[in-house]
Amino acid sequence: MKKIRIFVITTCLSCMAMLMAFSVASATPAKAPERIKAVMVGDRLVDVSLKLGIIPEGMAVRLSMWFDKAQGLSLASQILGCPNYVTKKHPEAIASFMKERGITRLILEKSNKFCLYKKNVSPVNVADLVKGVPGVTIEYVDFTKGMETGISQVAKLLGKEKQGRKIFADYQAAMKKIKARLPKAGYGRRVLILNGNFSTATNKAFVRIEAAGGYSDQYILTPLGCTNVAGDMLTDTMKISKGHAAASRLKGLEKANPDVIVATGNGFAVQKALHDAMKKNPALADIPAIKNGDIYNLPFYGDSSILEYPQIFKQWQVALTP
């Protein structure tokens, strides 16, 4: 009964969150972005552009990092692939698209560490791949000097300087609140992060463990003084790809013994995997996270939705607060 109760509670909480988000969206319908004849390469660049109400005709971004925006972006703009795809796997992709559509404007993001998973990938490398596009104009947005510079440059290029100043002011105010509320000693909680994916074709749930040292550690767990316990579940034979390792049966969960379990991606897939694991091993009900109901479906932050970072961080902080 205990394990069933926990499963039902977490399912209800997820449904309530979805209904609340839908009701808010319905009450204040968003204005459709203006589409411009340009191609943008870089998540941070596109994130700020969207906030300014502008969307390019084509873009190269890490769409898998934007679980909540993936479908909407695909419908509104031509996704040409991620920067790794368009610079290494198919270097002709952007030039071909621009020639086909008669696009001559290309805007590229410059950042210190574009992606933790692909360290040698940079949007600025696209510049060398479009030299054959007639009349091409290349513009750059520099995020290496900080958010204020990056936002202001995007806003200037798009003719939205006033809006850009407002966006940065709001972001800065939100970040100040976060820093003021950071725990001095840290929460000291042991956290397991499970990323879920559910196949409607097969009705199967797939779960990956987020390894230590990734985005969640860098941007959330470390500032909150928490520990990623994925290492207790990973073995030498498990392959880590893009910061995650497949673990559908959740072997080693009892050894990891997390205080909190965070589900990213498809929350139902994680709930289903936990439910199945507990059916096979009822002793898992004594794990602190399960015993105390500390299982939360939270948004993954991969340094793409940079303007949403404060609100994403706040959700994690509420969930991880003892």
Side-chain angles (χ1 to χ4, degrees):
M1 287 298 291
K2 192 173 193 178
K3 60 185 179 184
I4 295 175
R5 185 174 67 253
I6 292 172
F7 178 74
V8 171
I9 290 173
T10 54
T11 302
C12 290
L13 288 174
S14 296
C15 292
M16 288 174 64
M18 290 176 64
L19 288 171
M20 290 175 66
F22 178 77
S23 63
V24 171
S26 300
T28 56
K31 182 179 179 181
E34 174 190 350
R35 192 174 179 182
I36 63 172
K37 205 169 186 64
V39 169
M40 295 183 182
V41 183
D43 305 5
R44 300 159 189 84
L45 160 62
V46 170
D47 191 52
V48 176
S49 178
L50 289 173
K51 189 68 173 181
L52 290 167
I54 303 289
I55 193 166
E57 194 165 327
M59 65 173 74
V61 295
R62 300 173 300 165
L63 201 61
S64 62
M65 306 293 257
W66 281 344
F67 180 78
D68 58 334
K69 293 182 181 179
Q71 185 176 3
L73 285 176
S74 298
L75 294 173
S77 178
Q78 180 64 53
I79 308 299
L80 301 170
C82 67
N84 181 59
Y85 178 89
V86 300
T87 57
K88 296 189 175 184
K89 295 183 178 181
H90 287 273
E92 78 291 345
I94 289 185
S96 297
F97 177 78
M98 294 179 72
K99 290 177 182 177
E100 178 187 331
R101 299 290 183 94
I103 298 173
T104 59
R105 189 181 189 188
L106 176 66
I107 308 176
L108 305 176
E109 172 191 319
K110 182 179 180 182
S111 48
N112 289 320
K113 294 180 181 178
F114 178 73
C115 181
L116 291 180
Y117 304 150
K118 300 289 182 179
K119 297 182 180 180
N120 296 322
V121 173
S122 176
V124 297
N125 292 338
V126 175
D128 293 330
L129 306 176
V130 297
K131 293 179 179 178
V133 177
V136 65
T137 299
I138 304 175
E139 299 165 301
Y140 296 89
V141 172
D142 191 352
F143 278 92
T144 66
K145 298 178 182 179
M147 283 288 287
E148 183 174 14
T149 298
I151 292 173
S152 65
Q153 288 184 5
V154 177
K156 185 175 182 179
L157 288 177
L158 300 179
K160 302 277 187 178
E161 293 178 84
K162 181 179 179 180
Q163 295 93 319
R165 288 191 291 271
K166 175 67 165 54
I167 288 173
F168 177 70
D170 291 343
Y171 171 83
Q172 188 178 44
M175 287 301 296
K176 283 183 178 179
K177 288 183 179 180
I178 282 180
K179 292 178 181 179
R181 295 171 180 169
L182 287 178
K184 293 182 179 180
Y187 294 147
R189 309 200 81 186
R190 295 168 51 81
V191 183
L192 178 66
I193 305 168
L194 302 175
N195 177 261
N197 181 36
F198 184 78
S199 171
T200 54
T202 63
N203 287 330
K204 290 184 178 180
F206 301 91
V207 174
R208 301 182 303 160
I209 302 171
E210 184 176 345
Y215 282 104
S216 295
D217 279 33
Q218 182 172 326
Y219 290 96
I220 308 234
L221 299 188
T222 298
L224 291 176
C226 295
T227 303
N228 185 333
V229 297
D232 291 328
M233 294 181 68
L234 301 180
T235 65
D236 295 336
T237 59
M238 296 173 73
K239 181 182 178 181
I240 297 178
S241 176
K242 295 183 178 179
H244 294 75
S248 58
R249 296 183 181 180
L250 301 183
K251 291 182 179 180
L253 180 57
E254 193 169 8
K255 180 182 177 182
N257 200 39
D259 298 313
V260 180
I261 295 175
V262 172
T264 61
N266 187 294
F268 169 71
V270 175
Q271 291 172 332
K272 183 68 168 60
L274 287 170
H275 177 74
D276 292 345
M278 291 176 66
K279 283 182 67 176
K280 292 180 179 180
N281 183 8
L284 294 179
D286 292 326
I287 289 175
I290 298 175
K291 182 178 181 179
N292 299 322
D294 281 332
I295 304 172
Y296 305 98
N297 190 187
L298 297 171
F300 172 76
Y301 181 75
D303 204 26
S304 289
S305 300
I306 52 175
L307 296 177
E308 296 175 20
Y309 174 62
Q311 68 182 59
I312 291 174
F313 185 92
K314 185 177 180 180
Q315 291 181 60
W316 280 72
Q317 184 173 22
V318 169
L320 298 181
T321 300

